[in-house]
Amino acid sequence: MTKKKLNVGLIGYGFMGRTHSNAYCQVNHFFDVPYKPVLQVVYGLEENVAKDFAGQWGYKSYTTDWHKVIEDDNIDQIDICVPNNMHAEIAIAAAKAGKSIICEKPLALNGPQAEKMVEAIEKAGVANLVSFNYRRVPAVTLAKMLIDEGRLGKIFHYRANFLQDWTISANVPQGGMATWRLDVKAAGSGVTGDLLAHCIDTAMWQNGRIDSVCAMTETFVKKRMHVETGKIEDVGIDDACTFMCRFGNESLGNFESTRYARGHKALYTFEINGEKASIAWDLHDLHRLSYFDHSDESIVRGWRSVHVTDGDMPYMDKWWVPGLQIGYEHTFIHQIADFLKGLAEGKPASPSFREALATQYVCDAVLASAKDKEWKTVKKA
Ligand SMILES: NC(=O)c1ccc[n+]([C@@H]2O[C@H](COP(=O)([O-])OP(=O)(O)OC[C@H]3O[C@@H](n4cnc5c(N)ncnc54)[C@H](O)[C@@H]3O)[C@@H](O)[C@H]2O)c1
């Protein structure tokens, strides 16, 4: 099949810039999609880093001015991989210029800003996707399939954790590459927007909308040096957040995230308990789906550990042979494959900006609940 070229402008050469570049490079090797991404230009703050990145990944040019990427008529797609406070301005400009857009999560700093982004992309009618990549871990996609098939029956409980330990030291600064996450002006919030947004997106995808929340947050280290000013400044992010919630289907949710769980680097786990069966998953063992089926004969009934590598399991027919694993980076390849397929068929891949707005509203309600110490109803997207 002759593939149509899709000229990509990448905004950001950091962690996500690398995962997205890798996905563009790999997608045609493994997925039969009608587009061939062409890496045209990369933007980043530092010229020498942008130049090296362009050389390493095969971008034809580089720039330290993202506006130039949007203004370039040769660019079809804008891929946003910069700190959260830059998403809105770039996405709105890209939509006005008629480009398709992939935007990293969380969509924006807050709900009102995300609403403006949704309005802009819907008005322009451009293809859009927000990079909640954990949906596309094969075991996580399989969990969604099992729920949709009704195998769990009525769902009672959804619990998820996302635990890290890398900001315990008060010497970790705020602002700058990677540590912009600790600067509330750049990040919008702490673990709520950074980590819980993933858990919330997956949870609502699997178990439906979240209606109301009751949360608590804490900032354990209250002052940190700011990389950009060199001064010790107040820390405005939530270092830890725990919330309970009610889903629209009457099930109860429990979510916890922190960067102060000594011993945990990126422990994202969820467990879903239904009337007929339960499911559990752990990012550190991402190919395994734990499954308990109450209809099994009692003398052999127990938690099964399903190794999600067979060809009839989500995405796995595109990779190696049963029993052999894939990894984190493949979730981004799946994401771009689904996006390109949707682009050709006029069927958008999920989650759209509007779906990500729903996650943003839950994050807003969580932060408001923690601040006011009361239950909050979540706005509907
Ligand atoms: N989907 C995921 O699992 C996942 C994982 C990590 C990050 N993210 C999201 O991706 C986006 C980018 O995160 P990242 O980890 O790639 O960031 P990073 O710090 O690794 O890279 C940041 C990029 O933004 C540019 N930049 C422009 N202005 C900046 C400033 N004032 N401070 C810092 N960098 C600046 C840098 O040059 C660099 O190219 C964020 O929205 C983040 O939430 C998503």
Side-chain angles (χ1 to χ4, degrees):
M1 183 169 56
T2 330
K3 296 188 190 292
K4 244 177 112 177
K5 281 188 180 170
L6 186 82
N7 290 323
V8 175
L10 179 74
I11 313 292
Y13 52 52
F15 175 20
M16 283 303 108
R18 292 192 297 131
T19 61
H20 289 219
S21 298
N22 179 58
Y24 288 121
C25 292
Q26 292 288 3
V27 67
N28 293 120
H29 294 143
F30 294 94
F31 288 81
D32 187 15
V33 288
Y35 287 93
K36 175 157 182 44
V38 183
L39 304 184
Q40 289 288 355
V41 53
V42 57
Y43 151 86
L45 263 189
E46 289 180 46
E47 188 169 2
N48 57 338
V49 182
K51 184 179 176 195
D52 288 350
F53 187 94
Q56 188 166 0
W57 287 97
Y59 284 85
K60 294 183 182 165
S61 62
Y62 57 89
T63 176
T64 54
D65 180 359
W66 61 260
H67 298 90
K68 287 199 178 132
V69 186
I70 311 272
E71 286 157 14
D72 186 343
D73 291 337
N74 185 38
I75 299 297
D76 304 308
Q77 174 149 315
I78 296 295
D79 196 320
I80 304 173
C81 295
V82 281
N84 308 341
N85 61 331
M86 298 175 71
H87 293 186
E89 194 185 354
I90 298 170
I92 291 168
K96 283 189 183 148
K99 323 273 190 198
S100 57
I101 309 169
I102 293 184
C103 183
E104 260 307 333
K105 52 51 59 180
L107 181 58
L109 293 176
N110 51 48
Q113 194 181 53
E115 284 165 10
K116 292 194 182 108
M117 296 166 79
V118 171
E119 197 185 309
I121 57 104
E122 289 184 352
K123 187 169 168 211
V126 294
N128 58 95
L129 175 93
V130 180
S131 178
F132 282 109
N133 57 302
Y134 291 110
R135 286 184 180 207
R136 290 176 166 91
V137 175
V140 175
T141 315
L142 180 62
K144 158 82 171 157
M145 277 171 53
L146 299 177
I147 294 165
D148 287 354
E149 285 173 7
R151 287 176 189 247
L152 273 67
K154 183 172 170 52
I155 290 175
F156 301 119
H157 295 285
Y158 193 108
R159 61 185 75 80
N161 288 325
F162 208 138
L163 312 180
Q164 300 184 335
D165 70 355
W166 65 280
T167 66
I168 293 177
S169 165
N171 293 331
V172 178
Q174 57 176 317
M177 194 75 173
T179 41
W180 57 264
R181 283 174 177 76
L182 278 68
D183 174 7
V184 74
K185 294 188 290 305
S189 68
V191 293
T192 300
D194 196 32
L195 305 178
L196 282 175
H198 276 302
C199 305
I200 294 164
D201 172 75
T202 309
M204 291 204 292
W205 182 54
Q206 293 173 331
N207 193 38
R209 65 170 204 277
I210 291 174
D211 280 347
S212 56
V213 299
C214 181
M216 61 178 172
T217 57
E218 185 53 74
T219 305
F220 295 116
V221 175
K222 301 205 170 16
K223 288 187 185 291
R224 292 182 187 273
M225 198 269 286
H226 200 294
V227 169
E228 283 166 18
T229 63
K231 293 187 183 140
I232 303 289
E233 294 184 14
D234 288 344
V235 173
I237 59 153
D238 44 304
D239 284 337
C241 175
T242 303
F243 76 92
M244 52 186 175
C245 67
R246 288 186 178 278
F247 285 84
N249 64 3
E250 296 178 351
S251 59
L252 306 181
N254 250 303
F255 293 74
E256 184 190 5
S257 186
T258 179
R259 296 187 184 125
Y260 289 70
R262 184 59 90 203
H264 293 302
K265 309 239 171 282
L267 187 77
Y268 175 12
T269 55
F270 63 71
E271 180 170 311
I272 312 163
N273 308 123
E275 177 190 5
K276 299 185 205 164
S278 288
I279 285 176
W281 176 78
D282 173 349
L283 175 60
H284 285 186
D285 198 6
L286 61 78
H287 261 295
R288 296 247 168 220
L289 195 68
S290 298
Y291 184 71
F292 180 95
D293 187 340
H294 189 65
S295 68
D296 287 344
E297 194 188 348
S298 66
I299 56 167
V300 290
R301 190 191 293 148
W303 281 90
R304 303 175 200 171
S305 176
V306 183
H307 199 224
V308 186
T309 58
D310 267 314
D312 54 358
M313 288 159 161
Y315 300 107
M316 291 313 296
D317 60 326
K318 300 292 184 293
W319 298 102
W320 315 116
V321 296
L324 301 190
Q325 306 198 169
I326 56 171
Y328 174 72
E329 69 272 32
H330 298 83
T331 62
F332 296 92
I333 304 174
H334 300 161
Q335 177 168 280
I336 189 65
D338 289 344
F339 182 79
L340 296 179
K341 232 172 126 229
L343 200 58
E345 292 168 358
K347 281 192 213 142
S350 191
S352 64
F353 274 33
R354 184 165 281 284
E355 287 168 275
L357 173 64
T359 296
Q360 199 79 53
Y361 282 153
V362 177
C363 292
D364 283 8
V366 162
L367 294 169
S369 165
K371 184 166 164 275
D372 298 344
K373 297 188 171 59
E374 62 183 28
W375 278 87
K376 295 282 179 190
T377 301
V378 178
K379 199 170 164 187
K380 290 198 173 64

